[in-house]
Amino acid sequence: MAGSETTLLLVVLALAAVGWFWYDSLRAREHAITASLRLCRDMDLQFLDETVGLVGLRLRRDPAGTVRWQRVYGFEFCLPDGRQRFPGRVVMLGPWVERLWLDHPAGEVIVPSRGPRA
């Protein structure tokens, strides 16, 4: 009987961990969309498709030493004329924007962290 209870507990814990990761990923994605949209508006660019896509995921320490998920999201933007698409990236460390990058035709644009500092 103890074996089946242990198995049930492990299944419940695994499901809780998956649920937490899913919720945390949605929250990070929403922050990434907001940051990307804001940067595009500030630079008079069009944020295309109104979304970002996950292109990288790894564990990393934040400035305080806490292990967090680092997620890299890709998106596309264009100049006001709308003729050509260009890539952009937003790097999230936990819930914070670590860096934004645009492959702008006039030259790369890198916006550093706005997240917490150690």
Side-chain angles (χ1 to χ4, degrees), residues 19 35 38 51 61 67 71 90 102 104 110 114:
R38 185 179 306 124
T51 193
R61 292 191 184 275
V67 175
R71 295 172 174 93
V90 58
L102 299 175
H104 196 279
I110 299 173
R114 296 179 184 162

Side-chain angles (χ1 to χ4, degrees), residues 7-40:
T7 302
L8 179 60
L9 179 62
L10 289 175
V11 168
V12 169
L13 289 175
L15 289 174
V18 168
W20 170 85
F21 182 77
W22 177 75
Y23 173 77
D24 190 57
S25 295
L26 287 178
R27 196 174 93 196
R29 183 177 173 273
E30 288 302 316
H31 287 296
I33 290 171
T34 300
S36 303
L37 180 59
R38 185 179 306 124
L39 179 63
C40 287

Side-chain angles (χ1 to χ4, degrees), residues 55-72:
V55 295
L57 176 70
R58 70 180 183 149
L59 289 172
R60 240 191 83 219
R61 292 191 184 275
D62 67 12
T66 304
V67 175
R68 298 192 181 273
W69 286 106
Q70 181 188 56
R71 295 172 174 93
V72 180

